Structures are given as structure tokens and as C-alpha cells.
Amino acid sequence: MSLVSAFVPIWILTAVGYTACRRGLLGAAAASVLGRFVFHLAMPAALFLALSRTPLAGFAGRSLLAFAASTVAVVGLGWAGASRLFGRGPGERPIWGMAAGYVNSANLGIPIATQILGDVSFLAEVVLLQVLVVTPVILVPLDRHRDPAARARVRRIASLPVRNPVILASLLGVACSAAGLRPPAAVGASLTLLSGAAVPAALVALGASLHRPAPSRAAPAEWAELALITALKLVAQPVLAYAAGLALHLSAPQLLAVVVCAGLPTAQNTFIYSQEYGVGEAVANRAVAVTTTLSLATLAAAAALLG
């Protein structure tokens, strides 16, 4: 299967989800319910199996370094741009940076990695990097903005790995890999079945989420913000990842994995965090919607060029 043709099932299932939601076949809460199923059950099963079967020596250190370099650069550019170009306050800058550089490694990342890369091993490493390193960098200033003391919030951030099923499953997978443990046959078979639902359910949920009421009109300045965020996310981040990968002498398959993961759209957690902290909700919502829609084309283009 060619790299471009690998996107065909992604487009088809996304269109199925959109059409089903538009025709009212799945109910008004379809995207939310399917998204929770993927996030809390199917995706953790897939990540646990992938990481538990990956020897720690097999972790792609140079590939992850290239991805991390692109993430740091783009999050920093978004953070600075929010302040210097658009005069956004301290509470909104982390959301801006997250919208520009925090990739959707879950709902869209798993089907993309499965179809294009053949496995989710590198994506699982990206998940660990984002949730264990990037997320605290985003949440700490948001907490400080809301509550200068931030005492209770520090404990909440510290407990994130055990409250988030994706992080917990990833950490358990790494622990099992390190200890050489494998789940019992019946448990492994059940996890395999559950993980098999992650890709189709995630894509149907993605399509359903794209069918939404028309958003309120944005001011010209907000459209300028959205355009810059979209350019940083879908163009600058994969280009920087590609440059870093070349500098680190990655192989062609490694370079493809790094660029594809860096080219994933803005994570839905960006909007969730903006809602939780009451800052930047409009720009976060639009960034998720626009980058998700456009990424289906930009990712296919990137895969075709690298292929």
C-alpha cells in the first residue's frame, strides 16, 4: 500500500462519522461518547500493548529528540507570538503555545500511525514526552495565573500520571517492558480486541466532531491569530522536525515517523484546558477544528513527499 493510499481508509471513516452525525444516526452526543470510549478504553489498551512489547533499548532516542526540538521551538514561537504580536496576557500565552505545538497524538495520532507508519511505538514515545514533560510546562503557568498560591493545583499536576488513562497505560507498558512481563493470555487477547477498536472508533469520532454548529464570527485579529497558529502547527512544526531529523542523521523511516507525528493537528486537550482555566477558549476551539480538518491534506502531502 502506498503512503498516499494509506490515507484513503482514514478519509473514508472520517466521512462516515461526519455523514452519520449529520443524518442523526448516532445521536447528538456521538462524538463525545466515542471520544471517551477511545480515550479511556481503546487507546490505553493500544498504547499499553505497544509499549509492553517494545524493549527499552528500542526506544528511538534521536527520533524523539528531533520531535522534541520541533515542539519546543513551535510552542515557544506560539507563546511569544501571543504576547508580542497580539498582546495576549499571561494566562492566554500557554494556550497559544499549546495550540501551536501540542499534537493530537491520541484520537488522530493512533489511526495515522497505524495506517502510515505500521505501528504506534514511536507515537507512544511522543505521548510520554507530551504528557510527562510538555503538559506540566503548560499547566504550571495556567495554575499560577488562576491562583498565585497554586498549592492545591501542584498536587493535582503531580497526580496527573495516575489520573490520566493514556499516561497510566503508557507507564504500565514501559514498566512491563522493563520487567519483561507479559499479561496472561486471556488478558492479552482481550486487550488486543479492545485496542483494535481504537482506530475505527477514533476516526468515526473525528468525523462526528467535525459536524458542529457554525461557530460565532471571529474578529479580523482572531482570524490572523488562527492563521498563524495553523501555519505553525501544520507547516513550521513538521518542517522543523524534518530539519532536526536531517541534522541527527535519521533514516528515511525514522524521518517519516518524526515528520508525520509533528504534522498532527492541535490536540483537543488544548480546548479542554482552555475551558478548565477560562482563557483562550475561542482561539483554542477554532485551532482544533481548523488544523484537524486541514491536517488530513497536509499529512497526506508530507507522506507523499517523503515517500
Side-chain angles (χ1 to χ4, degrees):
M1 180 182 290
S2 70
L3 289 174
V4 176
S5 64
F7 276 87
V8 173
I10 294 172
W11 291 330
I12 290 175
L13 287 180
T14 302
V16 166
Y18 177 87
T19 303
C21 192
R22 182 181 178 87
R23 297 178 67 88
L25 301 179
L26 301 178
S32 176
V33 172
L34 284 171
R36 288 198 299 269
F37 166 74
V38 172
F39 183 79
H40 290 281
L41 297 175
M43 186 197 317
L47 291 173
F48 171 80
L49 289 177
L51 285 169
S52 65
R53 296 168 180 171
T54 302
L56 295 184
F59 274 48
R62 287 185 300 151
S63 297
L64 195 60
L65 180 60
F67 177 86
S70 69
T71 299
V72 170
V74 173
V75 169
L77 287 171
W79 202 306
S83 172
R84 297 184 180 183
L85 297 179
F86 300 100
R88 294 295 184 178
E92 293 173 298
R93 294 169 196 168
I95 295 297
W96 238 86
M98 191 175 184
Y102 198 102
V103 306
N104 186 342
S105 57
N107 291 350
L108 189 56
I110 283 183
I112 290 289
T114 301
Q115 288 294 119
I116 306 306
L117 307 178
D119 64 69
V120 297
S121 298
F122 180 66
L123 182 72
E125 298 174 36
V126 169
V127 170
L128 288 176
L129 173 71
Q130 290 202 141
V131 296
L132 298 181
V133 178
V134 182
T135 295
V137 171
I138 298 294
L139 291 182
V140 167
L142 286 174
D143 277 331
R144 288 179 176 173
H145 172 70
R146 172 184 279 184
D147 179 9
R151 293 181 184 135
R153 295 275 173 182
V154 169
R155 289 195 295 271
R156 180 174 174 82
I157 294 172
S159 67
L160 184 63
V162 296
R163 292 186 292 103
N164 186 305
V166 171
I167 306 175
L168 183 59
S170 299
L171 292 176
L172 289 175
V174 171
C176 287
S177 174
L181 298 176
R182 294 291 183 270
V187 174
S190 300
L191 290 174
T192 300
L193 286 173
L194 185 58
S195 67
V199 172
L203 291 173
V204 171
L206 170 63
S209 71
L210 295 178
H211 179 262
R212 62 184 72 194
S216 57
R217 282 194 168 185
E222 292 175 325
W223 282 118
E225 286 181 291
L226 181 59
L228 183 55
I229 287 174
T230 302
L232 287 172
K233 179 79 255 348
L234 299 184
V235 179
Q237 190 167 5
V239 168
L240 289 171
Y242 178 77
L246 288 179
L248 292 169
H249 305 291
L250 298 183
S251 66
Q254 290 174 322
L255 202 56
L256 175 64
V258 168
V259 172
V260 166
C261 288
L264 291 169
T266 301
Q268 292 173 339
N269 278 353
T270 305
F271 181 62
I272 292 172
Y273 292 159
S274 70
Q275 281 187 314
E276 171 69 18
Y277 290 93
V279 291
E281 294 178 57
V283 70
N285 186 23
R286 293 189 180 100
V288 171
V290 171
T291 60
T292 297
T293 303
L294 295 181
S295 68
L296 296 180
T298 58
L299 285 169
L305 290 172
L306 291 177

